[in-house]
């Protein structure tokens, strides 16, 4: 006669399979936890690194501008030294004009551009209206009559709005 498996034997086999599956699931869970912790640590390192790189970038950007402006500062020092005993206003004016042109050229090379506003139409994205006065001529009604403070672009971005007087 053949013996049929009894219920306890079948349960033992099933219990062993469940234990094997349970340990396999635990191993997968531990592996996933490990991957998660590594990924979280890697992300924190990435955030820290990019923050540091960004701070360094701002420092070097300022450094580059300062190095470009040093020759202008040297010119101011030389002009002050050579014109301190002069009574000739023309010489002082000429020194200032030379330095002004050099400063303007240096800033233009770094991307600074003045805004042309006088006589143009008022644009609230570019201009700040200080006051309104009666227009000196009919064609200046609703337009910019005077520029109190010049506006500037750095690249395509407005870094200072022009302060203007409008004609009504």
């Amino acid at each position: 006669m053949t013996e049929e498996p009894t219920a306890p034997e079948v349960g033992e086999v099933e219990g062993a399979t469940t234990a094997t599956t349970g340990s396999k699931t635990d191993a997968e869970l531990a592996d996933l936890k490990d991957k998660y912790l590594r990924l979280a640590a890697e992300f924190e390192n990435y955030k820290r690194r990019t923050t540091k790189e960004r701070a360094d970038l701002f420092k070097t950007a300022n450094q580059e501008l300062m190095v470009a402006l040093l020759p202008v500062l040297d010119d101011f020092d030389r002009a002050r030294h050579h014109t301190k005993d002069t009574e000739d206003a023309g010489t002082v004016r000429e020194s200032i004009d030379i330095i002004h042109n050099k400063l303007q050229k240096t800033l233009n090379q770094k991307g600074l551009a003045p805004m042309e506003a006088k006589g143009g139409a008022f644009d609230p994205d570019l201009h700040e209206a200080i006051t309104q006065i009666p227009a000196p001529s009919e064609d200046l009604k609703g337009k910019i009559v005077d520029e109190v403070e010049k506006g500037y672009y750095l690249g395509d971005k407005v870094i200072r709005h022009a302060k203007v007087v409008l004609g009504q």
Side-chain angles (χ1 to χ4, degrees):
M1 286 184 102
T2 58
E3 282 187 14
E4 290 183 32
T6 60
E9 289 176 5
V10 173
E12 286 176 15
V13 172
E14 286 177 6
T17 306
T18 306
T20 306
T21 306
S23 67
K24 184 177 178 184
T25 306
D26 289 343
E28 286 177 0
L29 181 62
D31 186 43
L32 288 174
K33 280 183 180 178
D34 183 54
K35 284 182 181 178
Y36 170 75
L37 288 175
R38 288 179 188 275
L39 185 62
E42 191 175 317
F43 183 66
E44 285 299 318
N45 290 337
Y46 166 77
K47 285 191 334 188
R48 206 173 302 123
R49 186 177 62 245
T50 54
T51 302
K52 184 180 182 298
E53 287 172 357
R54 190 173 188 177
D56 290 345
L57 179 66
F58 285 128
K59 285 180 186 175
T60 57
N62 286 337
Q63 179 182 352
E64 182 183 337
L65 179 63
M66 294 304 148
V67 168
L69 291 176
L70 285 176
V72 176
L73 184 61
D74 293 338
D75 287 347
F76 268 117
D77 289 339
R78 281 191 287 275
R80 286 181 61 211
H81 176 71
H82 291 294
T83 59
K84 69 180 174 184
D85 296 327
T86 188
E87 297 291 325
D88 184 16
T91 305
V92 174
R93 179 171 301 216
E94 184 180 335
S95 299
I96 290 172
D97 287 343
I98 290 170
I99 295 168
H100 178 263
N101 291 337
K102 188 171 188 175
L103 177 61
Q104 216 169 20
K105 181 181 173 190
T106 302
L107 293 175
N108 286 342
Q109 288 173 347
K110 296 296 176 186
L112 187 74
M115 194 181 291
E116 296 299 325
K118 196 169 183 179
F122 178 74
D123 183 354
D125 292 333
L126 303 176
H127 309 116
E128 182 181 332
I130 300 295
T131 187
Q132 291 184 355
I133 61 170
S137 64
E138 199 63 33
D139 61 325
L140 287 177
K141 279 192 174 184
K143 296 201 177 187
I144 298 170
V145 176
D146 192 19
E147 188 175 40
V148 176
E149 193 173 85
K150 207 169 207 34
Y152 289 96
Y153 298 104
L154 184 58
D156 293 335
K157 183 180 177 190
V158 176
I159 61 169
R160 184 169 86 180
H161 294 82
K163 293 184 180 173
V164 297
V165 176
L166 296 177
Q168 15 171 228

